[in-house]
């Protein structure tokens, strides 16, 4: 197995319920010397793509549909390619479709060109993630686990080969994940965390 994980930390602001929050985001780049999957890009596409280098981006996985991920997802998926047919597929859980449509709908309203606005309104993820779905990269399998609570479509990614659990905003260090101390559905999130950690081996 040649796969490895690289981390890029980016910072920015996220507005929820008319309140602006400072957010630190972990983007993970999983792959080998030739191909990678990018998980949770946010804020600084240039820094993320610099870490990717000349490797091919095979997919961009979003662990939730909050706008700090959506703000750079197209740029990271494009990875410098002008032709959209050469862009990496974007993957999101269907339960966060409303978050996706709301974000790109707001962008469409800001567009002066009607064709560009129409394209933004029609934009959809290329892959709808499902619980139990698997991506393969560099000899490692990345399994999708639906962990709703932070958002309806929050997911986590587990790789037994790499020995990692990438929980997005479902689980932060020592506590349930939140932005500005706000929880969308804390009870559901705690249930997801319990189900997520139960199969994990104790060390």
């Amino acid at each position: 197995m040649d796969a490895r994980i690289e981390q890029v930390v980016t910072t920015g602001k996220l507005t929820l319920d008319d309140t602006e929050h400072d957010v630190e985001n972990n983007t993970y780049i999983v792959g080998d010397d030739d191909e990678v999957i990018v998980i949770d890009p946010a804020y600084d596409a240039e820094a993320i793509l610099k870490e990717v280098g000349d490797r091919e981006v095979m997919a961009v996985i979003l662990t939730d549909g909050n706008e700090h991920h959506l703000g750079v997802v197209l740029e990271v998926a494009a990875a410098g390619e002008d032709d959209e047919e050469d862009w990496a597929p974007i993957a999101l859980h269907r339960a966060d479709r409303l978050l996706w449509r709301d974000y790109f709908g707001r962008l469409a309203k800001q567009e002066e060109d009607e064709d560009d606005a129409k394209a933004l309104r029609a934009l959809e993820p290329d892959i709808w993630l499902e619980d139990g779905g698997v991506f393969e990269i560099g000899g490692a399998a990345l399994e999708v686990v639906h962990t709703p609570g932070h958002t309806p479509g929050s997911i986590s990614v587990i790789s037994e080969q790499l020995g990692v659990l990438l929980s997005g905003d479902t689980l932060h260090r020592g506590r349930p994940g939140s932005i500005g101390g706000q929880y969308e559905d804390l009870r559901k999130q705690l249930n997801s965390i319990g189900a997520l950690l139960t199969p994990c081996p104790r060390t």
Side-chain angles (χ1 to χ4, degrees):
M1 182 186 69
D2 296 323
R4 61 184 184 274
I5 300 176
E6 296 152 279
Q7 181 182 9
V8 179
V9 179
T10 59
T11 58
K13 296 186 181 297
L14 176 64
T15 301
L16 290 176
D17 297 328
D18 298 322
T19 302
E20 191 173 71
H21 303 279
D22 293 317
V23 175
E24 183 176 271
N25 182 82
N26 295 309
T27 296
Y28 297 99
I29 300 168
V30 185
D32 54 25
D33 290 337
D34 300 310
E35 300 174 338
V36 297
I37 290 175
V38 178
I39 301 174
D40 278 351
Y43 298 120
D44 192 343
E46 183 178 352
I48 295 165
L49 292 174
K50 181 178 180 181
E51 189 69 27
V52 169
D54 59 2
R55 294 174 290 179
E56 184 176 358
V57 179
M58 304 304 294
V60 181
I61 298 175
L62 304 178
T63 62
D64 65 63
N66 278 329
E67 66 179 44
H68 59 303
H69 297 311
L70 302 182
V72 299
V73 69
L74 298 182
E75 188 175 350
V76 172
E81 297 286 348
D82 293 327
D83 189 341
E84 290 187 26
E85 292 186 1
D86 295 326
W87 292 11
I90 298 168
L92 178 73
H93 195 280
R94 187 180 294 274
D96 273 359
R97 185 181 186 187
L98 288 179
L99 293 173
W100 173 284
R101 295 183 71 178
D102 177 69
Y103 177 78
F104 286 105
R106 283 186 278 123
L107 286 188
K109 289 180 180 178
Q110 299 170 16
E111 276 290 341
E112 296 181 0
D113 185 284
E114 182 54 35
D115 288 338
D116 289 342
K118 185 177 180 180
L120 285 169
R121 286 192 295 267
L123 193 64
E124 295 272 322
D126 303 283
I127 300 170
W128 292 116
L129 296 171
E130 295 184 0
D131 189 70
V134 176
F135 291 79
E136 294 184 358
I137 191 77
L142 308 178
E143 181 182 354
V144 174
V145 181
H146 185 207
T147 51
H150 175 68
T151 65
S154 288
I155 62 107
S156 298
V157 177
I158 296 176
S159 175
E160 292 187 7
Q161 292 93 339
L162 293 168
V164 295
L165 162 63
L166 305 177
S167 59
D169 286 324
T170 294
L171 178 64
H172 290 172
R173 187 185 295 261
R175 59 182 173 84
S178 70
I179 295 174
Q182 300 182 49
Y183 295 95
E184 174 75 20
D185 189 334
L186 181 57
R187 177 174 293 184
K188 186 173 287 186
Q189 189 170 345
L190 291 173
N191 288 339
S192 291
I193 291 170
L196 190 63
L197 297 182
T198 298
C200 292
R202 295 182 181 275
T203 56

